[in-house]
Amino acid sequence: MALEKKKVKRLIGMMNEMTAVKIPAMGPIIRCFELGMDEDILNYLLRVGTASHDVGTLRKLYETMRATGELSPKWSWDALWAELMEMSFLIPCESGEGYYELASIFPGWIELCTSGERTEKRVAIMESFMDFWKLLKTLNVGPIRAKSDKEGLAVRDAGESRMGALTSVTQARTSKKRSVSVNEPLTSEQQVLTEGTAFEVLARHKDHIAVMNCICRNHKEVSGDGCCHADIPLKSCMPVGSIAEQLIASGVAERVNYEDALEMMRDFEKKGCIHTTFHYSGNADHEALAICNCCTDCCLLYSGYQEGYLSKVQVKAYNAPEVIDQKACTGCNQCGKHCPTNAMYFDKAKGGLEFDFEKCVGCGQCVTQCAFGVHRMVPNKRDVYAMTKKKKH
């Protein structure tokens, strides 16, 4: 039975209040809710609201709603709580001190719930969300593109980036004793102290790291499109902290120890993955929820940008490449092939490297993929918005 659309739109509005990343109540999004919940869960979440609650309070709300007939006898408390956790309708608060709050839609509920074992329901939710995402290309027309870019630049100028773009190559930095090169193995001290690296995020949460299916790669497999990077595993998204513990407990994700996570991160880097962090409140200055490791062939954020979807590349960058030996460049253009925003590439006509700093997210792929030591990464913290490209037909 279809859910009451007025109620669904109310819940969408509430979930949008939890984040700076607003998802409109369009048809495919409403369909995601109809696929993902029944009327009982919808009514319960509407009563939970946008405040944070401990488990005891959430159970009392359930008992009250059962007593008044607002919830059917279908759900016991244990079954309802298990569903709320497994489908990630509620997530731990940023403080992680036993309180829960309503999840945002995306990044948030959609990719967390669809990252578990492939079931008919999860695949249907994912497909419906992808129908929405495709609209971002359809909407790439003059007036809408101009309005979208104006809003993106305003967010950039306000320093309120939605996501973080990390690197796992060593930053070039000079100490009194020695200079640290980009290819030198990281020490534990560097992993902790080097801001803007994937290692730094993992070190903060070293006892609470998990790995789960990447929604982007998952969709590629389900749709049959495949990926040019067949050696990148499906499980390449790393939730951290309290949300990692919730996803492990509900069977959506698998625990991974710190040393294995570091090794996985290095492997992802070599294979061309971009490390993007998603955060509480959709703000890169808040604590990270997860590190997404995905290639530009699959990543919704960057493959969408390349194809001419309305740009959602709204990230906080921490590093930037510095060309240290232009003469060493052979023109192989590996930097250009792996750059997610076309910020760095070899221009055959000019016979040299071109670099657009405004579009650079500081992911480090130009350094990682270059075999000739042309670049190095240096600290450069800034907010980046890559303006929408004209769409490919």
Side-chain angles (χ1 to χ4, degrees), residues 34 86 105 126 130-131 142-143 156 167 213 235 240 264 285 287 315-316 327 384:
E34 291 175 338
E86 183 178 348
I105 299 173
M126 180 172 64
M130 294 305 172
D131 288 340
R156 180 200 67 183
T167 178
N213 290 344
K235 292 183 181 298
V240 296
M264 291 170 68
D285 291 326
E287 185 54 87
V315 301
K316 187 174 292 295
K327 293 179 181 179
V384 177

Side-chain angles (χ1 to χ4, degrees), residues 55-112:
V55 179
T57 302
L58 290 167
R59 180 164 187 164
K60 286 180 181 177
L61 173 61
Y62 161 81
E63 292 169 349
T64 299
M65 293 180 71
R66 281 283 289 110
T68 58
E70 294 175 82
L71 292 180
S72 72
K74 172 184 175 180
W75 293 98
S76 67
W77 165 249
D78 288 342
L80 178 66
W81 181 249
E83 182 74 2
L84 294 172
M85 294 295 97
E86 183 178 348
M87 293 297 290
S88 298
F89 294 124
L90 298 178
I91 61 172
C93 293
E94 186 170 0
S95 65
E97 295 180 354
Y99 281 75
Y100 291 81
E101 64 186 10
L102 197 61
S104 58
I105 299 173
F106 188 89
W109 166 57
I110 294 289
E111 78 267 34
L112 294 178

